[in-house]
Amino acid sequence: MSNHAPTPRTGLPRRALLGAAVATAAAGALDWHLPVPAAAASTTSSSLPFAQPGHEVRPKFRWWWPDGLVRPDEIRREIDQIADAGFGGAEIAAVHHSVTDAAVLDTAHHGWGSASWVTGVEAALTQAARRGITVDLAIGPSWPAAVPGITPDSDAAVKELAYGSVTLTAGTSYSGTVPAPVHTAAPGVTRQDLLLVHAARLNTANSTRKETGLDLDSVTDLSHAVTAGTLTWTAPDDGTWVILSYWVRGSGQTPEGGPHTAPAAYVVDHFSAAGTRAVTDFWEGRVLTPAVRRLLKVSGGALFEDSIELETEGLQWTPALPDAFLVHTGRSLLPLLPAVVLDHGSQVYAFEAGVTRQIRHDFWETVSGLFNRHHVTALRTWAHSLGLRLRSQPYGLQTDAIASATILDIPEGESLGFKNLDDYRCLAGGRDMAGHTVLSCEAGAYAGGAYNTTWQKFLRTMGGAYAAGVNQTVVHGFSYAELPGVNWPGYAAFTPYKGTVGYGESWGPRHPTWRHVQDVSGYLSRVHQVLQTGRPRADVAVFRQTGYTATGIGASWFTATGIPLGWTHQFLSGPLLDLPSATVRRGRLAPDGPAYKALFVEGDFFYGSTVTLALPDARALLRLTRAGLPVVLLGAWDTVVPPGVPGPGESEELRTLVAELLAQPRVRQIADKAGVPAALADLGVEPDVRYATSSTLLNARRVADGVDYYYLCNGKHAETVKPPVAAIDHEVTLRRTTADAVPHLLDPWTGRAERLARYTEAGDTVTVRVTLQPAETLIVALGRPGLFGDRRGGRTHAVSSDADEVRFTAAGLTVRAATAGTYSTVLSSGRTVRTTLKAVPEPMELTSWKLRVEDWRPGDTASQTTVLRHDLALALDALLPWSQITELADVAGIGRYRTTVTLADGWSGGRGARLELGGVTDTCRVTVNGHRLDPVDQIHPVVDLGGLLVRGVNVIEVEVATPLANRLRVSDPAVYGGTARQAYGLTGPVRLVPYGEARIG
């Protein structure tokens, strides 16, 4: 995981962060089925039960182990807990940032990869096979990828290029040892090899605020002047000169939060075959016992690698880089080294700005190729040989993560490190152009969030990510229960951290909310299933010359203006234009995949928005638009330059190609981003989704067998965006694939479908009304009538009505309203019908409750909980958070609220009611007259009570489960005492809102 993006001009900084649903009785609601996700089977041959999704679409947990200090019986128990809670798998990760005491974690006997660790893995795989879920395995302990058995000096270990320097005035002589690196080597590094010595003249015209300017033409190789480690050289008398020495050595980096192994594990070289071979050799020799190999074929899921956080004081390096650079660019890297050396992640020297940009582009493009070839591709091939897929977070360096996403079976992003939704859209572009199905997310890690994270916060975070392309959730995380010396409620991977509240959450039975977690896992599973079904659709591909992600940098116009109007986009980088899918049919790029309607190209945001284009990419754009693809270019393309250092004639050839591109009939050039909508309209390009007004509504579309699935979320581009998202209520126009398709509402909380009864049609579009609270989601499917088993709705539907709702029920087309009166409804046949609803009771605020609380406290051991029951003798006359009730101020647990509602004798057929819960922290369930309702939408807790209410006395119960933070404030004050009390419980206001219902005549 990573919480920082690489800054394109300054290298990789060090890690800065460690420190209401349709009710059961609702008329017209039916269980339904979706086609099988593309990854599982053909969408034309079978279906999956939406109400009970299969394990392959269910969320997973990142499962933190204290290395190998685990017991097989506890491992099996935790697999059962994960499976029973409705999760589809777990990823074993050795992480223990909260515990570093070598007396507790004896790496010689219980380290990662030890016999005890392997025994634990066997137990996990065996029990997972019994339970029908899968187990993923992290590639090494913690991150980045590392194994024991190598030293920092080994060929397979991660390398850095360190530099030394001496400044000489004009005519000054230097005689002495070659300048030593400005930073001493890391512990364990015993060898450093001199690669080269340069002299270069300072040129202040090339200096920047942080970089010292040099004259490229002055760079001189002084290696011949070095004898036995001594350099003798006299500077010319034409200015100030600098002597630069370059040293190749191991960086000595170890995985985070160690030690994890004995001997110590060192991070491997991610750019060489030797580094990857060290990983696979260790696994083959120490981990893959015959039992593990056999079990991986049954219950193994994926091999996982976290983000590529190669931290060094110098420049990330591999010995083969100069040769690879020569092959890739046709020129030597060595004279260009001053422009790429790093000091604490920052650039040090610069030549003329344009040339420096081109050198750095070529360097990182070469590194990207080595990483994708020797690391990503090699690991994928090896994982496949074991029956596993490769899942990875391919970012953290200045490499083309979009291209890496095309190679991976499952690319993964993260909610902690990604700054906004465009970071996900980068990986989604690679996934979809490669024809893969899943984009995963390390989800729900929050700084200082241990034991105070709510599932509501988790859902608010993930709502927008799903709209941006995510369709698998790896929840961060589930900690192994036990470890000597830890405090209640048990071992946690990241808390305490440096004596205070850590980040992330340790979900599991230690949490009161675990009682309701099946409701959450069911919701996530159904969202995943919809978003893994069929093929994705996106309106526009945005071309990115530099394929970084985890940067927060978006697209001109589309990110800020297009999304609020309904447009969708993804990002592509150059290598994607060479994929087999990069063809055009009927004006669509990748017609069997995302089917982009246009390609948008602008300057390179990572290099000052310079208008650049590589020659192969220019040729590809020309090929694509000649095949019929609309292309919009933003900027002064008559000044285009290659992104890298051009060879002879390349700049002229590029300008000729771009001039030819601009002359094509399906190409438009615009001077500024305000011209984007007019250019798209002129090309006949429209979005699949249109809003009646600028909106915070986000959308994602999938198409399978002529059915269109639209995921809608009232969210925002980034969680830091202000002002907060407000409720929306407006019309949304959706494009349909099949001419007679009608809209269905698919409820991921309950697993039920209902044909919508009020909408309008116009050609290939359907318009529906969407009303959503902040972070609330909605799924609409456009398919033939009866597709989801609904036989009640006829062909006639409502196009407008002044009633609150129009629905299809067992009685037929029906209106609902919260007040009595006569309502007019216009039908699709053109007829206007008036329907009268008789007296409807007034809404009632429910203020009088009895409350029983299960108070969760430390038990006899750190992993055991004692429950003390509080029964408030007096009824609550007002709903207050527990923090304001003296007896419950520091209580965490489960509260059961009970009230009665007496309905008059006039309550009979034709009436129902909704229960609006208002504020709830955290999860909740509702029971009415002994009937437990379907899962409640935890973001917008409003439930339809249908026909469950009766004349006379009705009993309503609301069960609420909380986080643990309030109890930990007093049970472990040394760590959690400084945290503020959270407002737990049902805080309302709770309202019962009756409605009348009558069939439209």
Side-chain angles (χ1 to χ4, degrees):
M1 79 189 85
S2 174
N3 65 300
H4 280 293
T7 304
R9 286 184 176 270
T10 61
L12 178 71
R14 288 187 173 273
R15 189 180 188 86
L17 269 184
L18 270 180
V22 179
T24 304
L30 301 166
D31 288 338
W32 58 285
H33 294 71
L34 275 181
V36 171
S42 169
T43 58
T44 62
S45 61
S46 61
S47 62
L48 279 176
F50 185 66
Q52 297 294 330
H55 75 81
E56 65 278 356
V57 298
R58 290 187 171 273
K60 303 173 183 288
F61 273 115
R62 182 149 295 169
W63 188 12
W64 293 306
W65 290 12
D67 294 329
L69 191 54
V70 295
R71 293 185 293 105
D73 60 332
E74 176 60 26
I75 289 295
R76 289 188 287 269
R77 189 169 75 101
E78 294 183 13
I79 283 285
D80 286 342
Q81 291 166 352
I82 290 168
D84 289 344
F87 289 79
E91 168 210 313
I92 298 173
V95 178
H96 49 76
H97 287 63
S98 61
V99 179
T100 58
D101 187 347
V104 174
L105 291 170
D106 179 1
T107 55
H109 296 92
H110 303 292
W112 177 85
S114 65
S116 62
W117 184 85
V118 173
T119 299
V121 170
E122 291 180 0
L125 289 166
T126 300
Q127 193 66 9
R130 294 190 182 110
R131 297 304 308 271
I133 66 173
T134 57
V135 171
D136 296 354
L137 295 169
I139 195 172
S142 194
W143 67 92
V147 291
I150 62 173
T151 72
D153 297 330
S154 300
D155 290 343
V158 64
K159 299 292 186 294
E160 66 179 0
L161 185 70
Y163 80 97
S165 68
V166 171
T167 301
L168 302 178
T169 57
T172 303
S173 295
Y174 177 87
S175 181
T177 58
V178 174
V182 295
H183 296 290
T184 59
V189 177
T190 63
R191 193 185 91 199
Q192 52 186 13
D193 298 322
L194 182 64
L195 174 69
L196 184 68
V197 180
H198 274 157
R201 184 174 54 244
L202 269 61
N203 185 340
T204 56
N206 293 336
S207 295
T208 69
R209 185 167 61 90
K210 295 183 177 180
E211 301 164 333
T212 300
L214 300 176
D215 186 344
L216 175 58
D217 291 338
S218 72
V219 174
T220 304
D221 186 350
L222 301 184
S223 301
H224 65 280
V226 176
T227 303
T230 299
L231 169 68
T232 300
W233 183 72
T234 300
D237 57 5
D238 57 352
T240 301
W241 287 72
V242 60
I243 296 174
L244 294 172
S245 59
Y246 308 95
W247 303 84
V248 178
R249 66 190 184 192
S251 75
Q253 185 178 358
T254 57
E256 289 280 347
H260 297 276
T261 62
Y266 286 95
V267 175
V268 300
D269 184 348
H270 284 55
F271 314 122
S272 73
T276 301
R277 190 163 52 248
V279 173
T280 58
D281 285 352
F282 181 86
W283 278 72
E284 295 282 353
R286 296 280 299 276
V287 174
L288 297 175
T289 65
V292 169
R293 286 182 183 275
R294 182 175 63 254
L295 288 164
L296 286 176
K297 303 289 186 180
V298 179
S299 55
L303 182 71
F304 171 71
E305 182 172 18
D306 216 315
S307 49
I308 315 303
E309 299 178 43
L310 301 183
E311 299 175 347
T312 169
E313 306 293 356
L315 176 69
Q316 292 85 7
W317 191 258
T318 189
L321 241 174
D323 289 342
F325 189 91
L326 179 63
V327 170
H328 181 62
T329 67
R331 62 187 63 86
S332 175
L333 171 64
L334 300 182
L336 312 177
L337 283 177
V340 295
V341 292
L342 298 177
D343 182 3
H344 283 297
S346 296
Q347 305 288 169
V348 184
Y349 300 102
F351 301 126
E352 183 275 325
V355 173
T356 301
R357 170 183 52 77
Q358 292 172 324
I359 292 169
R360 292 172 182 171
H361 173 276
D362 285 346
F363 176 84
W364 286 108
E365 191 172 69
T366 303
V367 173
S368 187
L370 292 173
F371 172 69
N372 284 336
R373 181 182 316 117
H374 293 307
H375 194 75
V376 180
T377 301
L379 281 177
R380 184 194 62 186
T381 300
W382 179 71
H384 288 182
S385 73
L386 302 174
L388 301 173
R389 292 188 288 177
L390 181 62
R391 174 168 59 88
S392 176
Q393 299 174 356
Y395 47 85
L397 294 178
Q398 299 176 53
T399 55
D400 189 346
I402 299 175
S404 298
T406 69
I407 302 168
L408 293 165
D409 299 305
I410 305 173
E412 181 170 286
E414 56 179 284
S415 64
L416 175 67
F418 276 17
K419 296 176 176 59
N420 55 43
L421 300 184
D422 276 333
D423 287 340
Y424 295 110
R425 294 185 180 105
C426 290
L427 299 180
R431 173 200 64 183
D432 292 341
M433 283 294 290
H436 300 312
T437 299
V438 177
L439 172 57
S440 184
C441 180
E442 176 190 353
Y446 306 101
Y451 297 118
N452 61 59
T453 298
T454 65
W455 282 111
Q456 294 160 344
K457 181 175 183 178
F458 180 94
L459 293 168
R460 287 195 296 270
T461 298
M462 294 309 299
Y466 294 134
V470 169
N471 54 12
Q472 174 178 282
T473 307
V474 181
V475 181
H476 186 291
F478 188 109
S479 289
Y480 182 79
E482 306 168 346
L483 195 70
V486 301
N487 294 335
W488 182 79
Y491 164 71
F494 292 107
T495 192
Y497 182 70
K498 295 184 178 179
T500 189
V501 183
Y503 73 94
E505 192 54 275
S506 292
W507 300 107
R510 68 184 69 186
H511 278 269
T513 57
W514 196 252
R515 184 166 300 182
H516 302 154
V517 76
Q518 284 187 336
D519 299 349
V520 178
S521 65
Y523 166 83
L524 296 173
S525 301
R526 296 180 190 106
V527 169
H528 294 170
Q529 184 167 313
V530 168
L531 295 178
Q532 291 184 33
T533 294
R535 304 290 183 185
R537 290 290 184 267
D539 294 322
V540 174
V542 176
F543 184 75
R544 177 150 280 179
Q545 295 94 330
T546 304
Y548 304 153
T549 193
T551 64
I553 293 179
S556 290
W557 190 81
F558 288 98
T559 294
T561 306
I563 291 172
L565 298 175
W567 288 89
T568 58
H569 67 276
Q570 295 179 344
F571 294 90
L572 312 184
S573 63
L576 277 65
L577 301 183
D578 294 327
L579 293 173
S581 63
T583 60
V584 177
R585 186 169 68 244
R586 298 179 181 174
R588 301 292 184 93
L589 173 61
D592 297 321
Y596 307 114
K597 302 170 189 175
L599 185 63
F600 177 72
V601 188
E602 57 189 330
D604 191 341
F605 275 7
F606 297 101
Y607 290 101
S609 294
T610 305
V611 177
T612 69
L613 199 61
L615 267 175
D617 298 337
R619 297 187 188 104
L621 293 183
L622 188 58
R623 168 179 60 83
L624 294 172
T625 194
R626 282 173 172 167
L629 178 67
V631 176
V632 176
L633 294 104
L634 169 62
W637 286 88
D638 57 326
T639 64
V640 64
V641 295
V645 178
E650 285 186 1
S651 296
E652 295 76 10
E653 183 182 357
L654 176 63
R655 285 192 288 271
T656 300
L657 280 170
V658 170
E660 190 174 355
L661 178 66
L662 293 171
Q664 298 302 308
R666 302 292 288 161
V667 174
R668 299 292 184 273
Q669 182 181 12
I670 54 177
D672 58 64
K673 63 183 180 181
V676 172
L680 292 170
D682 189 42
L683 291 165
V685 178
E686 297 180 344
D688 287 336
V689 179
R690 297 195 303 273
Y691 307 150
T693 182
S694 182
S695 174
T696 51
L697 187 63
L698 304 166
N699 77 83
R701 182 189 182 198
R702 307 282 299 195
V703 179
D705 298 333
V707 181
D708 301 279
Y709 300 95
Y710 287 95
Y711 168 86
L712 307 174
C713 175
N714 183 18
K716 52 187 174 180
H717 180 59
E719 291 194 46
T720 56
V721 171
K722 296 180 179 179
V725 173
I728 60 171
D729 182 2
H730 61 74
E731 289 189 336
V732 176
T733 299
L734 309 171
R735 193 175 306 278
R736 59 185 174 185
T737 301
T738 304
D740 64 346
V742 298
H744 302 78
L745 178 65
L746 313 183
D747 188 342
W749 285 103
T750 66
R752 296 178 178 274
E754 182 177 354
R755 181 178 166 187
L756 292 178
R758 181 165 58 186
Y759 58 94
T760 60
E761 301 174 283
D764 65 348
T765 66
V766 171
T767 299
V768 299
R769 191 82 182 179
V770 172
T771 304
L772 293 174
Q773 293 297 309
E776 190 180 3
T777 61
L778 186 71
I779 298 174
V780 176
L782 304 181
R784 58 177 174 78
L787 177 65
F788 300 107
D790 185 358
R791 297 292 185 265
R792 294 168 180 168
R795 299 189 66 83
T796 302
H797 63 274
V799 297
S800 66
S801 179
D802 52 11
D804 296 342
E805 289 184 85
V806 182
R807 300 183 66 183
F808 285 118
T809 70
L813 198 60
T814 302
V815 295
R816 283 184 178 179
T819 56
T822 299
Y823 297 92
S824 295
T825 302
V826 179
L827 303 180
S828 56
S829 63
R831 187 164 64 100
T832 299
V833 181
R834 294 173 66 81
T835 307
T836 299
L837 299 179
K838 297 180 180 180
V840 179
E842 291 293 320
M844 295 168 264
E845 185 169 346
L846 309 182
T847 58
S848 179
W849 298 83
K850 290 185 177 180
L851 172 60
R852 290 184 175 181
V853 172
E854 292 183 3
D855 177 358
W856 288 34
R857 300 184 173 202
D860 294 336
T861 68
S863 59
Q864 290 180 332
T865 297
T866 294
V867 175
L868 176 66
R869 286 174 171 79
H870 297 269
D871 191 350
L872 299 188
L874 297 176
L876 297 175
D877 293 325
L879 289 171
L880 297 172
W882 296 3
S883 56
Q884 296 180 24
I885 301 173
T886 302
E887 301 93 325
L888 304 178
D890 288 311
V891 169
I894 296 173
R896 293 181 179 86
Y897 294 79
R898 189 175 189 269
T899 192
T900 58
V901 177
T902 302
L903 299 175
D905 290 343
W907 189 273
S908 61
R911 291 189 180 91
R914 287 188 175 83
L915 184 67
E916 301 174 354
L917 296 182
V920 185
T921 301
D922 173 31
T923 59
C924 64
R925 282 178 173 169
V926 177
T927 300
V928 176
N929 293 331
H931 298 276
R932 196 178 92 185
L933 275 64
D934 283 342
V936 178
D937 185 334
Q938 302 296 328
I939 292 295
H940 184 45
V942 177
V943 293
D944 189 337
L945 306 186
L948 294 177
L949 295 177
V950 298
R951 284 175 290 185
V953 177
N954 294 267
V955 179
I956 297 175
E957 295 180 314
V958 181
E959 182 180 82
V960 180
T962 79
L964 284 176
N966 286 4
R967 172 53 62 195
L968 284 165
R969 290 180 74 254
V970 293
S971 69
D972 194 355
V975 176
Y976 302 95
T979 60
R981 286 192 180 108
Q982 291 182 287
Y984 292 163
L986 178 64
T987 54
V990 179
R991 297 201 319 151
L992 188 70
V993 183
Y995 58 77
E997 182 177 82
R999 184 179 183 274
I1000 295 176

